[in-house]
Amino acid sequence: LEMLALNASSELEPDLARDCNVALACLSTCIVPLKVLPTALTAIEHVSQSESWKAKIAMLEYLQVHVFTNMALFHSQKDQADRVVNIVTRLIKDDRIEVREKAGKVLGGMLHCSFISADVASKLMDKFKLEVSKKIKKKPKENEDPNLFQANQSKAILVRHSGILGLSAFVFSSPYDIPEHLPDILMVLADHLHDPQPIPATVKNVFQEFKRTHQDNWAEHKQKLTEDQLATLTDLLVSPSYYA
């Protein structure tokens, strides 16, 4: 599995990359016997810790199809389902932004199809909100090592961005309705439009997608928002300078 993931994006050998992608696609759609499931997840966990960020992305794509193909099996094996969630939530904090963003999309898909239970989803939501609320220092303290300050700031931005991606997954998981928890998440995201990059880019992308998927039934959807929430959203979604 590791060899396939490492070579799936090979630019030097396009034929090899194609064959590896075909092999991964075929493997991911296999029904896994119950006794093999722990071994399969161990292999996936191993590759998800690779030094290659492209291998991690390949494994996230593989994992997403693997989970949907074996959904019934995972529903009967809570401990194995928890391992899947742990892999995705770990990679949503990866140093590489491409890996974080891919993990966020995979998480959104898992929430959308109810692979993640309501209790676990609620705990994840609280965890992401906590990460988003952590402060990011704008200036170093007096006599603080500039390099140390920069390292700590980069780490703080990464943690907040992972929280933003996690909350974004909840938005993407409800493309055609507004569940009870969604308005509050949207307001939290709106508060971070002026954070350090790449956070604003992620937030803008979420609202663009939210507008695209909810505009057809907006007259109905807006009934689930308070006046203040509706005013904030309207300002974000129709402001002429928003997409500038």
Side-chain angles (χ1 to χ4, degrees), residues 40 97 118 124 205 224:
I97 185 172
L124 283 174
N205 178 59
K224 299 181 180 180

Side-chain angles (χ1 to χ4, degrees), residues 99-111:
V99 177
R100 296 201 299 271
E101 290 176 342
K102 185 64 181 180
K105 291 178 180 178
V106 172
L107 180 62
M110 291 178 176
L111 289 166

Side-chain angles (χ1 to χ4, degrees), residues 117-233:
S117 68
D119 289 343
V120 174
S122 179
K123 291 177 182 177
L124 283 174
M125 193 188 309
D126 292 339
K127 176 185 172 186
F128 291 138
K129 285 181 179 178
L130 181 62
E131 290 173 348
V132 166
S133 67
K134 292 180 179 178
K135 293 183 178 180
I136 299 175
K137 290 197 299 183
K138 295 182 178 180
K139 295 181 180 180
K141 294 180 180 178
E142 190 175 350
N143 299 324
E144 183 177 5
D145 183 351
N147 293 328
L148 179 62
F149 166 76
Q150 187 63 44
N152 289 334
Q153 188 184 48
S154 297
K155 183 178 180 181
I157 292 173
L158 189 154
V159 169
R160 182 176 288 184
H161 187 228
S162 69
I164 291 291
L165 286 168
L167 293 178
S168 300
F170 282 90
V171 179
F172 293 138
S173 70
S174 302
Y176 305 113
D177 63 338
I178 298 186
E180 186 178 339
H181 62 264
L182 197 58
D184 183 47
I185 289 177
L186 291 172
M187 294 304 103
V188 172
L189 292 173
D191 286 338
H192 295 278
L193 268 170
H194 303 291
D195 282 6
Q197 289 292 356
I199 296 170
T202 298
V203 174
K204 288 183 179 182
N205 178 59
V206 173
F207 280 108
Q208 286 175 344
E209 186 66 14
F210 176 81
K211 181 180 181 180
R212 184 185 70 80
T213 56
H214 289 80
Q215 62 184 351
D216 289 347
N217 295 312
W218 185 239
E220 176 186 340
H221 292 322
K222 69 181 184 180
Q223 303 299 323
K224 299 181 180 180
L225 302 167
T226 66
E227 288 187 11
D228 289 344
Q229 290 171 342
L230 185 58
T232 300
L233 270 185

